[in-house]
C-alpha cells in the first residue's frame, strides 16, 4: 500500500469507528535546531561573559545538539590566561564544573567582529572563507535558531572586542534572515546593559521571540565573585536562565514559564520579552535540544536573602571598581598593598572623570547652552528614534574620542548621544564638536 493510501485507510477507519476527529498519521517535519553563541568581550576582568557562553554551549551539547549546528564566537583569552590558576578550565559559578572543555573555537581573537557575526547569520560561507572555522548558519524555513549574545552594551549598541554592533545593523540582519526564510522560529537571549534597546524595533509577527537582561535604560548585573580568581564568574540574567535549564525537564517547561521564573529571580534589573511573545508557549527543548541529561543543578532556586548569585551581584559598570575594592580589602594587613590598591581605585575614578569631562564639553559645544548640556548629561529616559544620527554620532565618539572596546567606560556616556539626537542636534554637529574636544592621544583601559 502506498503512503497516501495508508493515510486514507487510517482516516476511513477512524470514521467507521465513530471517532469525532482523526489523529494525523504523519507529523509535520519539525526541522533542525541551530545555535549561535557570542561573547563580545575579552580580558580577565570580563571573565564572566565567556563563562556564560561556554555554559550555554554545554547546555546545548548535553541536550543533544551536534557541534556542527552550534557556532561559537569568543575571544578565547580566559581559559589559558596568566591569571588563571587552573589553565584550561573556566567555571560559571564558585566551585562549579568546568564549562570550557569541548567548546568549539569557531571564531576567536580578531575574528570576533560584528561583520563576521552578521555573515554567520546570513549564511555567508563565501564571505567567511578562510576565517575561523568558516561555519555559518545553514538553517532553512523549517528550522529553529537560538542566538545567545553576552557582553557590555549601551543604548542601541552591543559590544565586540574591537568595536560594536549597532541596533540598526542587528535588526536588518534579523529581518534579512526572515526574508530569506532562514528559520521557522527564532529565539534570542541577550545579556548586556541597556539590552532592551536592541529590541525596540523588533516586529511581533515574524516568529522571533527575544528576552533581554535589562530594559533600555538600565544596567545588567554581574554575580558570583570568586575570591580566588578576583573576578565575577557569571551575569545574573544568564545564570538564572541557564541554572533553570539545568534544573528543569526542558521537554516540559515552556519558554513562558522560564521567562516568568527568571524575571522574578533577576531582582537586579528588569528582564523583558520582545517580538512574537506567543512563541513563549514553546517548550525550552525546542531551542536547547530534547535529550535527557544529568546536569541537574544543586544551585537554586533560592530565597532572595540566601541567593549566592544575588548576594554577590554588582552592576556591570561597577565590576572594575568592585574587583579593585576586593583586592584592597584582601590586602588590609599589608600597608604597602593597601596603598597600592587605593591608588588603583583613585586612578580608575580619575580616568572616568576624564571621559565624562570630554562628553560634557562636547554637549556644551553642540548645544551652546550650559543648562541644556547638563540636561543631556543627566537624562537617560529617551528612546532611539533618530537611528542614523545615533549610529553616526556614536561612531564619532568611538573613532575620535574613546575606542569603546578598549575603553568600555565610554559606553556609559552613549545616552548623551541619544539625548542630543532626540533633541534635534545632528550627527554632524556632534562630530565637529568631538573633533574639536578630543585632541588627546589615544588611550586604552578606561573601565
Amino acid at each position: 500500500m502506498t503512503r497516501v493510501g495508508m493515510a486514507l485507510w487510517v482516516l476511513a477507519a477512524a470514521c467507521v469507528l465513530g471517532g469525532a476527529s482523526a489523529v494525523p498519521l504523519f507529523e509535520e517535519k519539525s526541522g533542525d535546531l541551530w545555535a549561535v553563541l557570542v561573547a563580545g568581550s575579552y580580558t580577565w576582568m570580563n571573565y564572566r561573559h565567556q563563562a556564560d557562553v561556554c555554559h550555554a554551549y554545554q547546555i546545548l551539547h548535553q541536550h543533544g545538539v551536534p557541534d556542527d549546528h552550534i557556532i561559537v564566537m569568543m575571544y578565547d583569552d580566559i581559559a589559558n590566561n596568566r591569571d588563571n590558576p587552573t589553565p584550561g578550565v573556566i567555571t560559571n559559578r564558585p566551585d562549579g564544573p568546568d564549562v570550557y572543555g569541548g567548546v568549539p573555537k569557531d571564531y576567536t581573537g580578531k575574528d570576533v567582529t560584528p561583520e563576521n557575526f552578521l555573515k554567520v547569520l546570513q549564511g555567508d560561507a563565501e564571505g567567511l572563507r578562510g576565517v575561523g572555522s568558516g561555519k555559518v548558519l545553514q538553517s532553512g524555513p523549517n528550522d529553529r535558531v537560538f542566538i545567545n549574545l553576552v557582553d557590555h552594551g549601551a543604548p542601541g549598541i552591543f559590544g565586540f572586542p574591537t568595536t560594536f554592533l549597532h541596533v540598526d545593523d542587528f535588526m536588518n540582519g534579523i529581518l534579512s534572515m526572515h526574508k530569506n526564510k532562514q528559520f521557522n522560529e527564532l529565539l534570542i537571549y541577550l545579556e548586556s546593559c541597556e539590552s532592551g534597546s536592541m529590541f525596540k524595533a523588533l516586529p511581533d509577527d515574524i516568529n522571533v521571540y527575544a528576552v533581554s537582561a535589562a530594559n533600555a535604560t538600565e544596567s545588567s548585573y554581574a554575580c558570583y565573585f570568586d575570591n580566588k580568581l578576583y573576578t565575577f564568574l557569571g551575569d545574573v540574567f544568564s545564570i538564572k536562565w541557564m541554572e533553570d535549564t539545568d534544573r528543569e525537564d526542558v521537554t516540559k517547561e515552556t519558554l513562558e514559564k522560564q521567562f516568568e521564573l527568571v524575571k522574578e529571580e533577576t531582582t537586579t534589573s528588569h528582564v523583558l520579552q520582545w517580538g512574537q511573545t506567543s512563541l513563549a508557549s514553546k517548550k525550552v527543548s525546542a531551542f536547547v535540544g530534547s535529550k535527557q541529561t544529568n546536569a541537574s543543578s544543586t544551585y537554586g532556586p533560592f530565597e532572595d536573602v540566601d541567593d549566592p548569585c544575588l548576594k554577590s551581584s554588582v552592576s556591570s559598570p561597577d565590576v572594575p571598581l568592585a574587583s579593585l575594592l576586593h583586592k584592597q580589602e584582601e590586602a588590609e594587613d599589608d600597608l604597602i598593598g593597601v596603598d597600592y590598591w587605593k591608588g588603583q581605585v583613585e586612578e580608575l575614578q580619575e580616568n572616568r572623570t576624564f571621559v565624562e569631562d570630554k562628553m560634557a564639553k562636547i554637549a556644551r559645544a553642540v548645544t551652546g547652552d550650559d543648562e541644556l548640556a547638563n540636561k543631556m548629561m543627566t537624562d537617560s529616559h529617551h528612546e532611539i528614534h533618530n537611528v542614523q544620527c545615533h549610529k553616526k554620532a556614536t561612531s564619532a565618539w568611538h573613532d575620535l574620542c574613546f575606542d569603546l572596546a578598549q575603553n568600555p567606560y565610554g559606553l556609559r556616556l552613549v545616552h548623551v548621544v541619544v539625548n542630543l539626537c532626540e533633541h534635534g542636534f545632528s550627527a554632524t554637529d556632534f562630530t565637529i564638536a568631538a573633533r574639536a574636544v578630543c585632541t588627546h592621544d589615544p588611550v586604552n583601559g578606561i573601565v
Side-chain angles (χ1 to χ4, degrees):
M1 184 178 292
T2 67
R3 181 181 175 92
V4 173
M6 177 64 78
L8 292 173
W9 182 87
V10 171
L11 179 60
C15 293
V16 169
L17 293 172
S21 61
V23 178
L25 182 65
F26 304 108
E27 293 184 1
E28 183 179 352
K29 183 180 179 182
S30 59
D32 289 336
L33 170 59
W34 294 80
V36 180
L37 312 177
V38 180
S41 70
Y42 67 115
T43 76
W44 187 255
M45 189 176 296
N46 294 316
Y47 181 112
R48 64 194 184 280
H49 298 145
Q50 293 183 54
D52 289 340
V53 161
C54 288
H55 188 173
Y57 164 78
Q58 299 299 342
I59 287 173
L60 294 165
H61 178 74
Q62 291 162 3
H63 284 91
V65 183
D67 281 2
D68 62 2
H69 279 50
I70 304 173
I71 301 165
V72 179
M73 304 184 78
M74 65 177 189
Y75 204 83
D76 196 26
D77 65 330
I78 299 301
N80 294 297
N81 194 289
R82 64 182 182 181
D83 290 324
N84 193 348
T86 54
V89 173
I90 294 177
T91 60
N92 200 212
R93 66 176 189 237
D95 301 317
D98 173 38
V99 294
Y100 182 71
V103 176
K105 315 300 189 301
D106 293 306
Y107 300 94
T108 61
K110 63 181 177 59
D111 294 332
V112 183
T113 68
E115 295 77 15
N116 288 344
F117 168 65
L118 293 173
K119 288 176 182 177
V120 166
L121 294 192
Q122 307 313 312
D124 184 5
E126 185 60 33
L128 288 172
R129 184 182 296 276
V131 180
S133 70
K135 280 164 61 178
V136 297
L137 280 180
Q138 300 180 46
S139 52
N142 294 319
D143 296 334
R144 302 173 309 285
V145 177
F146 172 48
I147 299 174
N148 182 208
L149 298 165
V150 185
D151 190 32
H152 296 293
I157 63 177
F158 174 83
F160 272 78
T162 59
T163 183
F164 56 85
L165 174 67
H166 192 271
V167 60
D168 189 41
D169 296 322
F170 184 44
M171 278 299 105
N172 286 337
I174 299 303
L175 292 174
S176 176
M177 291 178 69
H178 168 66
K179 177 183 176 182
N180 294 327
K181 296 181 171 55
Q182 290 180 264
F183 61 83
N184 180 34
E185 297 162 341
L186 171 61
L187 171 67
I188 307 172
Y189 277 5
L190 201 158
E191 171 80 63
S192 77
C193 294
E194 290 91 16
S195 46
S197 66
M198 299 297 286
F199 297 116
K200 288 285 187 177
L202 180 63
D204 63 2
D205 60 354
I206 61 171
N207 272 14
V208 179
Y209 173 58
V211 180
S212 63
N215 66 26
T217 61
E218 68 183 352
S219 299
S220 63
Y221 276 64
C223 76
Y224 284 152
F225 185 82
D226 191 297
N227 289 306
K228 298 175 183 176
L229 302 181
Y230 289 106
T231 191
F232 289 84
L233 305 186
D235 293 280
V236 176
F237 165 71
S238 292
I239 289 296
K240 292 305 178 185
W241 82 255
M242 289 191 290
E243 290 191 353
D244 173 69
T245 304
D246 286 337
R247 289 191 304 266
E248 296 285 342
D249 181 344
V250 296
T251 64
K252 296 179 179 178
E253 184 183 36
T254 64
L255 293 171
E256 179 65 27
K257 180 185 174 185
Q258 182 167 90
F259 168 75
E260 292 296 340
L261 184 147
V262 172
K263 179 182 177 182
E264 180 180 354
E265 290 192 355
T266 306
T267 59
T268 50
S269 61
H270 295 83
V271 176
L272 299 174
Q273 55 184 343
W274 309 86
Q276 192 157 335
T277 55
S278 61
L279 288 185
S281 63
K282 297 288 182 178
K283 299 294 190 293
V284 174
S285 59
F287 296 96
V288 303
S290 57
K291 181 181 176 182
Q292 294 298 315
T293 75
N294 295 316
S296 180
S297 172
T298 57
Y299 274 58
F302 303 96
E303 297 294 331
D304 286 352
V305 293
D306 297 319
D307 189 324
C309 172
L310 294 179
K311 284 173 66 176
S312 63
S313 65
V314 301
S315 69
S316 186
D318 288 335
V319 163
L321 178 59
S323 298
L324 290 177
L325 291 176
H326 274 287
K327 291 178 179 179
Q328 181 180 319
E329 182 180 346
E330 194 73 16
E332 62 181 356
D333 295 329
D334 178 359
L335 293 180
I336 296 177
V338 168
D339 286 343
Y340 173 79
W341 293 116
K342 281 184 177 179
Q344 292 295 299
V345 170
E346 290 173 1
E347 183 178 343
L348 178 147
Q349 293 169 337
E350 289 171 0
N351 286 340
R352 290 183 168 192
T353 299
F354 176 67
V355 178
E356 293 165 1
D357 286 347
K358 291 295 180 179
M359 182 60 90
K361 289 178 180 177
I362 292 172
R364 283 195 292 272
V366 170
T367 63
D369 184 315
D370 286 349
E371 185 176 345
L372 182 56
N374 289 335
K375 179 178 173 63
M376 299 296 96
M377 290 291 293
T378 57
D379 197 351
S380 62
H381 76 278
H382 286 288
E383 295 183 7
I384 302 168
H385 299 290
N386 194 338
V387 176
Q388 290 308 310
C389 175
H390 176 272
K391 188 174 185 178
K392 293 176 181 177
T394 302
S395 293
W397 176 238
H398 171 78
D399 294 336
L400 299 174
C401 297
F402 298 98
D403 183 312
L404 298 180
Q406 302 294 328
N407 303 286
Y409 189 70
L411 294 167
R412 298 303 96 225
L413 282 302
V414 171
H415 71 277
V416 183
V417 175
V418 177
N419 293 339
L420 290 169
C421 288
E422 297 307 316
H423 277 77
F425 300 101
S426 70
T428 300
D429 295 332
F430 186 95
T431 302
I432 292 172
R435 188 171 284 116
V437 169
C438 296
T439 57
H440 56 273
D441 292 333
V443 294
N444 293 329
I446 300 181
V447 295

